[in-house]
Amino acid sequence: MSDDQLNSYEVTTVSQPLDDRTQAVGLVDSGATQYSMNLECPVCHTQNSGSERYCTDCGFLLTESPAEVSEAQIEQPPAKLVSADRVREFPLRLGANTVGRADSDVLLTDNSVSRRHAVITVEDGRVYLEDVGSTNGTNAGGVRIEQGSRVELQDGADVVFGSESLKLVVIATVQESVGESASDDLSATADSPEMSLTDTDSSVATQEADASGIVDETGAQTQDQRALYVLVSRDGSLRYDLLKGTLRLGRRTVENDIVISDQYCSGKHAELEVTEDSVTVRDIGSTNGTLINAVKIAPNAAVPLNPGDEVTFGQTPLILEAIRDEFV
Amino acid sequence: MSDTTQMFPGDDPNRTVVGGIDPNKTQVGGGLGAVSSDADPYRTQMPSAVRSVALECLVENSYALAPEANHTHILARLTGVNAGGGFGQRMPVNVCLVLDRSGSMEGPPLDYMKQACGYVVDLLEPSDILSIVAFEDTAQVIMPARRVVNRALIKEHIMRLDVGNTTNLYDALALAGSQVSSVANPGYVNRALLFTDGEPTAGNKDFSSIVGQVVEQKSRGITFTALGFGYEYNEELLSAIAKRSGGNYYYITRPELIPEIFRKELESLMMVTARNVRLRIRLSRWSQVRQVYGKLPTYGTRSAEVTLADLEKGETQTALIQMELGARPGGTYRVAVVEAIYDDSVTGRTETVSADAVVQFTADAALLAAGENPMVKNEIQIAEASRNLERTVMGMKTQQISTTQAVEEMEKTRMMLLDQGKTLQAQDMQAAIDQIRQGAAAEKTLIGIQLDREKTR
C-alpha cells in the first residue's frame, strides 16, 4: 500500500498546517513537561501543540468540550466509493444513491459522466448498481453493465462511470447493524475475513481488495485471521496479536488495528508489516518516537523487528514473540 | 476596497460568520466579528506584511446538525487590495496582440483594429513589453517581444497590416505563447489579446486541441483574453479560451467599438495586483469537497485546488465550494482552511493568505435558520442559474427547447439578477431575450453574460 501517500504532507508557508500529524515537541524523554504543552483533542485524540486553536486533524475547537455522544450514535455510512488515487471518498447511504454529474449523491463532475448516470442501492447489507441511461456507460469489475439491469457489487469492486474509476469499500462495522432482515447471511460473515456480501466470486473480490490495500484502509481485517506473532508487555498485562498484513498502531481508537492507550503514543503512531516469517515496524511520524531495544528508529522507514526485541511506542515497551505452528 | 463596501454595506451580518459562532473566544483575526467599518478584516491575521489580496471565507450556514452528515457550501472571496506603492504604480505588462487578418476583416473592421492597436501602444510605457502576431493562412510575428520605446515605429508596423485569406487560430496562439514566454523576467503580467471575427478555418481546427494549448500556456503563466467581433466567430471556443486561461471574454458587435474594448482590457490588465492565483482548500478530517462551481479542481490528500484569474485592484473574485461534512459529535469545528496562493505585485514574492471555515455542529435543529448566510445563498442561486443558462444555450443550439421555453427560462434568470441587484447582467439578459423574440441568434450575448463570472468590480 502507498505509505508515501498516507504520510507525506505538503510543506507550505502557512502558520497552521492542517496536517495529520501530532505536533512535534523538542525532547523525547521528559514526559510530564511535554504533556503540559500539548492539547489532546477530545474528539479524535490527536495531540496538538498548545498554540493550536483547532485540532490539526479533525478541526475541533480545542477550548470546547464535545457533546456527549457514543460512537454508536455517530452513524458512519455503510459503504463508500474511493477514487483510484484514494484522495476522494464518496459516502454511500442506506437506500438509493444517485451517481451523476449534477444534483447527485455521488457527484462526479467529469464530463464523461452523465447528469443522471447510475444508481447504487445499499439495502440488507448488500450493494447493487444500476446504469440509468448514461452516455458513456458503467463498468463493474471490467464488465459493462447493461442499461436497466441491476448487478450486485462486492466489497473492493472496481466501478467505472464514464472515465471515472472508483472502488467500492463496504464498511465492516456497520455491516452488522445494516442487515437485520438478512441476518442469516450476515451473522456468519460480519466479522469473517471474507467480507463478501454475496455469492460465488467472494474470494476473488477479497483478494483484489487486499492487494490494493483498500480493505486495510478501512481498518477491516486482512485475509489471514491467524496470529503469527504477538506483542506482549513484560508483566503480561498487555497482549496484542499480530495478524498477517499491514497493521496500524496508535492511541486513537478509530483507524488503528492496535490501540495503545498511552498518552505518549501518537494517535497514528506506527505501522507493522507482518508476514509469515518477518515483522517490520515503521514509525509514521509519531511525536515521541518508536524505539527498538532502546534505540530510536528513523521515521517513515521500515525497520525489521525480531522475536525477543523490545519495541517501545511512546512509553509503552512491548516484546515481540513468534507464535509457532505447534502452539496453535 | 470602496467597491466592496458598496456591495456589502456596513451592517452586513455575514462578516461575523467565521467568528460569530464562537462565543468563547476573541477572534484571531481581530476585526472579524467587529463592525465592518474595518474594511479589511484579514489584515490583522497577517500583521507583519502588507499584501495585495484579502481573503474571506463565508459558510452557507454557521450551524449544522450533529451527529449527522451534512452538505454545505463555503464561499471564498478574494479582493485585490491597493496595498503599498503610490497611485499610478503598477506591475509592468508583457502583452501580445494576436490579430486576425483573414479576408473577412477587410474594410472598417481592419481599420478599427489598427486604431485599437495604436491605442494599446500609446497606453504602454517603456517598462512594458509588446509583441504582435497576425494570422490568416499562417501566423507571422509582426513585431517580436520588445520594450515599447519607439511608438511611431511600432504603429508603422501595425498600419502595414493587410488582409489575407483563412483563419489559422491554432498556430497564432502557439506563436503568441512563444513570444510572451521569450521574455525571461518573471516580473511581468503576461497576457495575450486574441482578436478574431471567425471560426478557425486553417491549421489545427480541433476545439479541444486549441483549448488544450491555451490550458498548457496558462500553466506557463500566460492568460488569454478573447475578443470576438461580428457574428461569425465561434463563441463557445472564444469563451472557453478566456475561461480556461483566466482571461476576459468580450463580444464586440460593431467595428467602431473595437478601440474602446481594447482600451478597457488594457486598463484592467494594468490593475492586476496578484497573478497565478490558486485557491487551495485544506480539509479537516470528515470533510470532503463535492464540487467547486465552474471549476475542475485537482484533488490531493485532504486538499483540493482550483486556479483563479489574475486579480485586479479593487476587484473581488469568488469561488463557491460545495462540501460534504461527515457525521461527528456536536461542537465547533474548523471544517476547512481556505488558502489563496499568488504572486504578489507588491512584495514580488509568492504569498499565501488563509481563512478558516468554521461550523458549529448542534443537535438543536431550531438554530439552523439563524445561521444562514444570505450572501452565500445568493451565490448558490447564481451558480444554479448559470447552469440553467448553459443548459438553455445548449438546448437552443440543439433545438431541443422552443423559443418560448428559452425565453421563459431567461426571464426567470433576469428576475433573479434584478433581485440581486445585478442590473448590468439583467440588462444583457433583456437584450438576449429581445434578440430571440426577433428571431435572431442570441447565443453570443448569452455566453457573454457569464453569470457565474467570478469577477465583480
Side-chain angles (χ1 to χ4, degrees):
Chain A
M1 65 188 288
S2 161
D3 291 320
D4 287 349
Q5 194 173 45
L6 290 168
N7 298 318
S8 70
Y9 297 91
E10 288 169 276
V11 179
T12 64
T13 55
V14 186
S15 58
Q16 296 189 332
L18 188 71
D19 70 11
D20 238 355
R21 286 194 201 166
T22 310
Q23 292 298 306
V25 289
L27 294 166
V28 177
D29 284 324
S30 55
T33 350
Q34 285 163 49
Y35 183 57
S36 66
M37 287 172 62
N38 283 359
L39 269 174
E40 180 178 299
C41 173
V43 177
C44 71
H45 304 294
T46 298
Q47 292 289 334
N48 292 280
S49 91
S51 62
E52 296 293 346
R53 180 164 146 81
Y54 297 99
C55 173
T56 50
D57 186 12
C58 73
F60 185 74
L61 180 64
L62 291 167
T63 48
E64 279 190 352
S65 307
E68 288 294 325
V69 197
S70 73
E71 288 207 9
Q73 279 176 276
I74 297 174
E75 194 184 320
Q76 294 305 324
K80 61 187 177 184
L81 292 170
V82 181
S83 63
D85 56 8
R86 303 208 291 161
V87 299
R88 300 193 74 196
E89 286 188 358
F90 304 87
L92 297 172
R93 306 205 157 77
L94 278 182
N97 297 265
T98 55
V99 179
R101 203 177 73 235
D103 309 323
S104 301
D105 300 315
V106 176
L107 187 66
L108 302 167
T109 47
D110 192 89
N111 276 337
S112 64
V113 178
S114 297
R115 287 177 183 284
R116 292 185 69 250
H117 197 108
V119 171
I120 296 179
T121 309
V122 182
E123 57 185 23
D124 301 339
R126 299 178 183 228
V127 183
Y128 302 95
L129 171 65
E130 186 182 347
D131 186 292
V132 292
S134 69
T135 307
N136 294 316
T138 304
N139 280 266
V143 180
R144 173 102 177 210
I145 291 177
E146 291 289 320
Q147 225 174 77
S149 72
R150 196 162 106 139
V151 299
E152 188 163 349
L153 296 178
Q154 313 279 341
D155 182 29
D158 289 306
V159 190
V160 185
F161 305 101
S163 53
E164 284 266 14
S165 275
L166 301 168
K167 195 178 271 287
L168 175 72
V169 175
V170 175
I171 294 161
T173 49
V174 185
Q175 213 171 322
E176 294 168 90
S177 59
V178 167
E180 283 122 8
S181 59
S183 54
D184 49 340
D185 293 358
L186 286 166
S187 55
T189 56
D191 241 322
S192 80
E194 298 84 11
M195 306 262 308
S196 93
L197 297 172
T198 88
D199 59 35
T200 52
D201 300 335
S202 60
S203 59
V204 177
T206 308
Q207 275 165 15
E208 275 174 13
D210 282 344
S212 67
I214 292 286
V215 168
D216 286 344
E217 171 80 342
T218 62
Q221 296 84 350
T222 50
Q223 61 187 25
D224 197 332
Q225 281 292 86
R226 185 168 55 84
L228 300 166
Y229 294 86
V230 63
L231 282 172
V232 290
S233 60
R234 289 210 187 271
D235 62 4
S237 65
L238 300 172
R239 184 186 169 91
Y240 304 98
D241 285 340
L242 304 188
L243 309 181
K244 184 179 169 182
T246 304
L247 303 173
R248 295 180 169 199
L249 180 147
R251 196 194 59 256
R252 206 175 295 153
T253 51
V254 287
E255 291 196 352
N256 281 313
D257 305 294
I258 298 172
V259 177
I260 299 204
S261 40
D262 165 5
Q263 296 288 12
Y264 298 94
C265 185
S266 291
K268 295 176 179 176
H269 195 104
E271 278 181 8
L272 299 165
E273 193 71 47
V274 181
T275 70
E276 276 84 359
D277 46 21
S278 75
V279 176
T280 58
V281 60
R282 175 200 297 270
D283 186 294
I284 54 175
S286 70
T287 306
N288 296 318
T290 301
L291 287 72
I292 296 180
N293 299 326
V295 178
K296 189 172 179 181
I297 65 172
N300 297 315
V303 180
L305 196 62
N306 299 310
D309 282 352
E310 183 188 74
V311 57
T312 306
F313 305 102
Q315 294 196 348
T316 303
L318 298 166
I319 312 289
L320 181 74
E321 289 174 7
I323 297 178
R324 306 262 169 149
D325 280 347
E326 55 262 38
F327 298 143
V328 177
Chain B
M1 290 304 292
S2 61
D3 292 303
T4 316
T5 328
Q6 274 167 22
M7 286 176 62
F8 311 109
D11 55 355
D12 183 353
N14 307 311
R15 278 288 159 77
T16 55
V17 166
V18 177
I21 56 170
D22 172 14
N24 304 324
K25 271 254 178 174
T26 329
Q27 279 311 306
V28 181
L32 276 186
V35 206
S36 48
S37 62
D38 179 357
D40 180 3
Y42 285 86
R43 276 291 173 70
T44 35
Q45 273 189 340
M46 302 278 180
S48 58
V50 184
R51 286 181 167 80
S52 345
V53 173
L55 174 68
E56 193 176 13
C57 180
L58 308 174
V59 185
E60 178 184 0
N61 198 317
S62 50
Y63 294 101
L65 274 184
E68 293 165 26
N70 292 267
H71 282 180
T72 194
H73 290 81
I74 59 180
L75 179 70
R77 306 182 77 244
L78 282 80
T79 302
V81 180
N82 202 345
F87 274 102
Q89 265 201 18
R90 62 169 174 89
M91 294 177 94
V93 297
N94 173 6
V95 183
C96 181
L97 300 173
V98 193
L99 308 171
D100 186 343
R101 60 184 192 95
S102 61
S104 53
M105 286 290 293
E106 185 152 27
L110 186 74
D111 295 339
Y112 279 109
M113 185 184 82
K114 287 179 182 175
Q115 194 188 331
C117 293
Y119 279 9
V120 171
V121 174
D122 286 335
L123 282 168
L124 294 177
E125 287 173 23
S127 55
D128 298 315
I129 287 172
L130 178 69
S131 54
I132 304 173
V133 167
F135 61 101
E136 41 126 7
D137 298 351
T138 58
Q140 307 96 30
V141 176
I142 303 298
M143 182 181 116
R146 60 173 63 145
R147 288 176 179 281
V148 184
V149 181
N150 189 339
R151 291 200 171 97
L153 184 67
I154 299 171
K155 284 182 186 171
E156 218 173 277
H157 281 296
I158 293 168
M159 291 318 285
R160 268 190 237 130
L161 277 177
D162 203 358
V163 294
N165 296 306
T166 53
T167 308
N168 188 337
L169 186 60
Y170 184 88
D171 287 356
L173 294 176
L175 206 54
S178 68
Q179 283 304 315
V180 174
S181 46
S182 70
V183 180
N185 190 328
Y188 292 93
V189 180
N190 298 328
R191 189 157 308 178
L193 269 62
L194 167 68
F195 178 85
T196 181
D197 75 337
E199 292 262 1
T201 52
N204 189 339
K205 290 172 277 192
D206 178 46
F207 184 104
S208 51
S209 308
I210 294 173
V211 175
Q213 199 205 140
V214 166
V215 169
E216 199 252 311
Q217 300 208 4
K218 167 69 180 171
S219 70
R220 290 190 277 135
I222 304 172
T223 297
F224 283 85
T225 278
L227 306 109
F229 168 69
Y231 299 95
E232 301 298 318
Y233 73 87
N234 183 331
E235 72 276 2
E236 267 173 280
L237 179 60
L238 288 199
S239 68
I241 287 172
K243 197 164 186 178
R244 297 300 294 278
S245 74
N248 298 311
Y249 165 69
Y250 300 93
Y251 167 38
I252 311 174
T253 45
R254 299 196 308 275
E256 62 271 24
L257 297 176
I258 299 172
E260 170 61 17
I261 304 284
F262 269 67
R263 193 184 54 73
K264 202 167 150 189
E265 170 63 11
L266 210 68
E267 278 176 358
S268 103
L269 180 58
M270 289 172 170
M271 293 288 279
V272 167
T273 187
R275 298 174 302 141
N276 299 330
V277 187
R278 280 118 60 213
L279 198 71
R280 184 184 294 155
I281 304 123
R282 297 170 76 85
L283 300 162
S284 295
R285 174 183 291 260
W286 306 312
S287 295
Q288 295 268 337
V289 168
R290 270 170 64 81
Q291 59 179 330
V292 182
Y293 289 80
K295 305 271 177 203
L296 291 173
T298 48
Y299 293 95
T301 307
R302 284 217 202 165
S303 74
E305 196 171 307
V306 292
T307 309
L308 300 181
D310 289 351
L311 190 66
E312 296 161 27
K313 287 175 191 167
E315 173 196 65
T316 297
Q317 287 188 46
T318 59
L320 182 64
I321 303 140
Q322 191 185 30
M323 308 269 294
E324 170 122 29
L325 306 176
R328 68 193 71 199
T332 305
Y333 294 80
R334 176 174 68 186
V335 295
V337 177
V338 176
E339 294 172 5
I341 304 142
Y342 62 96
D343 295 348
D344 192 306
S345 66
V346 176
T347 65
R349 288 191 305 265
T350 300
E351 303 281 0
T352 303
V353 285
S354 67
D356 294 341
V358 178
V359 175
Q360 187 172 340
F361 290 77
T362 171
D364 183 0
L367 285 173
L368 291 179
E372 282 194 5
N373 184 315
M375 196 196 289
V376 184
K377 289 272 180 209
N378 280 354
E379 291 278 343
I380 297 167
Q381 217 183 352
I382 289 181
E384 276 161 9
S386 165
R387 252 177 218 185
N388 285 339
L389 187 62
E390 226 169 76
R391 235 172 289 180
T392 308
V393 172
M394 193 59 80
M396 276 160 49
K397 287 202 152 178
T398 54
Q399 298 181 331
Q400 281 173 344
I401 61 169
S402 68
T403 309
T404 325
Q405 282 171 312
V407 167
E408 240 168 62
E409 277 298 315
M410 289 158 65
E411 195 61 51
K412 260 190 262 169
T413 311
R414 193 181 70 87
M415 294 310 292
M416 187 272 297
L417 289 168
L418 278 179
D419 278 353
Q420 297 210 2
K422 300 198 180 262
T423 44
L424 281 179
Q425 280 131 320
Q427 277 168 22
D428 287 348
M429 188 61 78
Q430 185 62 57
I433 292 171
D434 293 344
Q435 283 166 14
I436 291 181
R437 287 207 169 116
Q438 290 158 16
E443 286 92 345
K444 288 186 174 62
T445 312
L446 280 179
I447 287 185
I449 295 175
Q450 297 201 7
L451 300 180
D452 63 337
R453 182 115 202 113
E454 292 80 11
K455 299 186 171 194
T456 45
R457 249 185 294 168

